[in-house]
Amino acid sequence: MTGSWKAQYLPKEKQFFSFAKAYLEASSKLCKNFDESDEELGYPSACVVLFLAHHAVELFLKGAILNRSPDEKFHLRIEELKETFDRLYPEVDLSWDMPFRTEYLGFSPEEREKAKKDKEPVDQVYRYPTDKERQQWQGIYAFEPASFQKTIESLLSDFTRLELAIDAANKR
C-alpha cells in the first residue's frame, strides 16, 4: 500500500516534480502499449498519452516556478508557464526545448497575440472529444507512438537534468 503521507512532507516543489515524473512515466507506459498491443488502441487512447505528458510538463514547470518564486501566480496555459520559467531561470544550463508549443512563424506581434487568444487549448483537446459547446474541435489531430516515445524519453532526461540544475542554481 502507498498513500499521500509518503509525499506530503516533501517541499511543495518536490511534490510537483514527483507528480510530473509519475504522469510522464504513465504516459510512457501507455505509449509503449501502442507498439506492443495486438488490438487497435485508437485516438482516444492516444489523447490520454498526450494529456499525461502535457500535464507532466505543466506540473514540472509549476514545481520549478515554486522553487524559485514561491509567491508567483501560476498561469493556466503551459506556454505562459514556460515564459515565467524562462524569466525566473535565465541561466543557460536551465534552457530547454519544451514540447507542446505553437510557433507563429511570419506573424506580426499583433497577429501572434490574436492567434494565441483564438487558439484552442491543446490540453482540452486531449481531455475532451468536443469543446464547451459540444462542437468538434477544429483541425486534424494525429499521433505517432514511436516518435512520441522519443519525446517522452527526452522529457524524462530533461526533467532529471533540470531538477538538478534548478537545485544547484537556487543554492548559489
Side-chain angles (χ1 to χ4, degrees):
M1 173 166 41
T2 189
S4 60
W5 61 88
K6 292 188 177 186
Q8 70 186 15
Y9 296 106
L10 289 172
K12 296 284 186 261
E13 66 276 4
K14 295 295 183 188
Q15 291 179 35
F16 275 84
F17 289 155
S18 294
F19 271 69
K21 288 176 189 169
Y23 273 93
L24 196 54
E25 288 167 2
S27 178
S28 178
K29 288 178 184 176
L30 287 173
C31 192
K32 287 176 184 173
N33 283 348
F34 272 85
D35 287 334
E36 297 167 1
S37 177
D38 292 333
E39 61 186 76
E40 173 68 29
L41 294 176
Y43 182 69
S45 295
C47 284
V48 173
V49 171
L50 292 163
F51 173 75
L52 291 172
H54 184 279
H55 195 56
V57 172
E58 177 187 344
L59 291 171
F60 186 87
L61 287 166
K62 288 178 176 180
I65 292 166
L66 274 174
N67 202 319
R68 183 152 281 183
S69 181
D71 296 326
E72 190 81 30
K73 299 290 184 222
F74 290 144
H75 300 284
L76 296 176
R77 293 182 181 254
I78 195 171
E79 291 180 0
E80 292 172 1
L81 288 169
K82 179 65 163 76
E83 289 171 7
T84 300
F85 173 89
D86 289 342
R87 177 177 50 79
L88 292 173
Y89 292 99
E91 298 93 333
V92 172
D93 59 335
L94 289 166
S95 66
W96 61 301
D97 186 24
M98 181 190 85
F100 306 110
R101 293 185 86 156
T102 302
E103 292 186 48
Y104 299 93
L105 302 174
F107 281 52
S108 70
E110 297 81 24
E111 291 170 325
R112 186 173 340 162
E113 288 308 310
K114 181 179 179 342
K116 283 181 179 181
K117 287 180 184 168
D118 293 344
K119 185 180 131 201
E120 293 159 348
V122 72
D123 64 315
Q124 300 302 301
V125 173
Y126 299 151
R127 291 175 64 191
Y128 302 106
T130 64
D131 66 16
K132 289 186 274 189
E133 285 77 36
R134 296 189 186 107
Q135 300 298 310
Q136 289 301 135
W137 296 109
Q138 296 297 307
I140 296 173
Y141 300 89
F143 175 74
E144 202 289 305
S147 62
F148 194 70
Q149 184 62 40
K150 291 177 185 171
T151 299
I152 292 171
E153 290 166 7
S154 177
L155 271 173
L156 282 167
S157 175
D158 285 341
F159 282 5
T160 300
R161 173 184 65 83
L162 289 167
E163 187 175 356
L164 291 170
I166 286 167
D167 286 345
N170 288 331
K171 288 179 182 167
R172 291 181 199 147

